Amino acid sequence: LNDDGGRTKQLKAIFSGATAADAKKFQQYRFDLKGKPEVSGTTATATVVCEKHTKGTPVEQKWEFAKEGDKWKIKAAPLP
């Protein structure tokens, strides 16, 4: 996500339902996974540390993932 945050086409490949507006929001941040995701069947949650590129304070957010076919996609990714 750190590499694809500003590219709408790539964002759509990793998100379930991403838009160009989403791409603009996500390109402002850097993301790091904290710990291991909790997987339950075809859904998962993980703690992601979000930090703005410009003097941001790291903030932990709980993201949700869903398995679509044989690939995992981000279902919900709240930003600070």
Side-chain angles (χ1 to χ4, degrees), residues 29-79:
Y29 292 88
R30 172 164 175 68
F31 307 97
D32 291 302
L33 182 64
K34 182 177 180 183
K36 292 184 178 184
E38 296 177 22
V39 179
S40 178
T42 58
T43 62
T45 58
T47 300
V48 176
V49 179
C50 309
E51 182 177 2
K52 274 200 169 186
H53 290 294
T54 55
K55 299 182 183 179
T57 301
V59 176
E60 291 183 10
Q61 298 284 66
K62 187 70 90 175
W63 285 17
E64 297 176 17
F65 301 84
K67 196 164 189 180
E68 293 184 5
D70 62 345
K71 296 185 181 193
W72 286 94
K73 290 196 175 186
I74 301 169
K75 182 178 176 183
L79 295 173

Side-chain angles (χ1 to χ4, degrees), residues 1 4-26 68 73-77:
L1 185 58
D4 296 330
R7 299 180 190 103
T8 305
K9 185 177 178 181
Q10 288 88 345
L11 201 65
K12 286 182 179 182
I14 57 177
F15 268 83
S16 182
T19 66
D22 292 329
K24 287 184 179 183
K25 289 183 226 172
F26 280 87
E68 293 184 5
K73 290 196 175 186
I74 301 169
K75 182 178 176 183

